[in-house]
Amino acid sequence: MTAGLTLRDFKGLMEDARAALSREPAVLSLHADRALLIGDLHGDLESLKLPLESVDNYDALIFLGDLVDRGSHQLEVLVELMRAKLEHPDKVRVIRGNHETAQMNYAYGFYEVVTRRFGAGAYGLVASIFSELPIFALLNDETMLVHGGIPRGVNSVSELKGVRKQGEDIEDGVVLQLLWNDPDESVEDFAPSWRGPGIYTFGRRSVSRFLEASGLRRIVRAHEPEPLGLGYHFNGSVITVFSCRHYGISPAALELGPTGIRRVQL
Ligand SMILES: [Mn+2]
């Protein structure tokens, strides 16, 4: 796994992955007959196993962010995923979660994991990868894939086409919301979030307006644990996928195929 991984190996992997990711735009437009969508991993290596083993069965494996922090195999998850990215650059996609930032990694463990293993200078290699991660993706022109949710003050996806990749922390308020917002059935439009300033929950009316104005069918996002790994909001127009077993949940991925949506147990 990563037991024999030297700093030199790690540096090489991170630099190659950074180069591959830097060729991707901030907003991905993807087409796939069969896609597997994976939510938060937070260092859960076991949940990465099935997706990577079934790479040949899918046209796309799309990871919705929050790869690291908190879990038992954070470094291993990042290393395995970046190896897979380099092996299948057009099939393995990773978008940015709110934990792909220096601020979160200082607070929730990944900074310490990296520096303890490879020394104080090594975190910069990680930050340079996170800075190249796309912000969200559109799949088959009908599904928006994003870590958190839709931002307040944005009427349609066309208004988001200009978002830019961010540095080691998120400076742009709209991108911050894309990575942090949550759906809430008890909210009509938007409401302030318990998560902090500049973050909102979004409700039924804002979702239906956004989807209609964008010509989209649904939003698949991650960011919140669900008992069975999947959560359906607003009649399924927003779906949460959560893939980390360390939260005491049954982790899942979401398969989007020609016959519809299927829960995949991880
Ligand atoms: Mn998150």
Side-chain angles (χ1 to χ4, degrees):
M1 195 66 58
T2 65
L5 193 76
T6 64
L7 174 58
R8 189 193 168 96
D9 298 334
F10 184 64
K11 189 164 185 270
L13 176 65
M14 293 295 107
E15 285 172 353
D16 291 348
R18 193 203 62 78
L21 289 166
S22 72
R23 292 190 280 271
E24 297 184 351
V27 180
L28 296 174
S29 184
L30 306 174
H31 293 271
D33 284 339
R34 269 161 66 87
L36 190 66
L37 313 178
I38 302 98
D40 294 36
L41 287 169
H42 286 301
D44 182 351
L45 190 60
E46 218 178 317
S47 284
L48 188 55
K49 235 171 115 178
L50 183 137
L52 294 188
E53 283 171 0
S54 32
V55 64
D56 292 336
N57 301 332
Y58 291 98
D59 304 303
L61 301 181
I62 309 169
F63 294 84
L64 305 185
D66 282 12
L67 314 172
V68 299
D69 281 337
R70 296 196 175 111
S72 53
H73 293 85
Q74 301 172 34
L75 196 57
E76 290 83 352
V77 165
L78 182 66
V79 165
E80 290 303 312
L81 191 50
M82 289 305 131
R83 282 175 174 159
K85 173 70 189 164
L86 291 172
E87 201 175 331
H88 309 277
D90 297 328
K91 201 181 255 198
V92 174
R93 305 287 185 165
V94 184
I95 62 172
R96 195 164 185 174
N98 63 309
H99 280 268
E100 278 71 58
T101 58
Q103 196 182 8
M104 295 299 273
N105 294 162
Y106 290 137
Y108 293 95
F110 191 52
Y111 178 83
E112 197 185 334
V113 166
V114 174
T115 54
R116 212 181 254 184
R117 174 70 190 272
F118 292 121
Y123 182 78
L125 297 166
V126 170
S128 72
I129 283 201
F130 292 167
S131 304
E132 290 295 347
L133 290 176
I135 305 301
F136 72 94
L138 296 172
L139 180 61
N140 300 333
D141 298 318
E142 65 171 22
T143 302
M144 179 179 182
L145 308 175
V146 64
H147 183 72
I150 56 173
R152 185 183 173 186
V154 171
N155 299 305
S156 78
V157 77
S158 61
E159 293 178 19
L160 293 169
K161 294 264 162 87
V163 299
R164 292 169 180 270
K165 291 180 179 179
Q166 300 287 295
E168 68 173 32
D169 283 308
I170 308 300
E171 307 285 348
D172 184 296
V174 168
V175 175
L176 187 85
Q177 291 190 63
L178 287 164
L179 271 52
W180 280 90
N181 285 2
D182 299 297
D184 185 342
E185 299 269 357
S186 72
V187 167
E188 277 296 321
D189 293 307
F190 288 89
S193 170
W194 61 271
R195 292 185 188 269
I199 303 167
Y200 296 88
T201 56
F202 53 95
R204 180 177 300 276
R205 192 154 59 196
S206 47
V207 167
S208 61
R209 266 199 308 243
F210 180 88
L211 290 176
E212 195 184 329
S214 306
L216 294 172
R217 188 167 175 184
R218 66 173 80 82
I219 296 164
V220 179
R221 44 87 66 176
H223 198 38
E224 288 180 293
E226 291 285 347
L228 294 175
L230 296 185
Y232 293 83
H233 323 273
F234 315 121
N235 300 322
S237 57
V238 176
I239 303 174
T240 295
V241 54
F242 199 86
S243 309
C244 174
R245 75 200 58 237
H246 301 319
Y247 284 70
I249 56 122
S250 184
L254 182 71
E255 183 183 301
L256 264 179
T259 56
I261 288 175
R262 190 171 73 91
R263 178 183 184 274
V264 176
Q265 177 76 43
L266 295 177

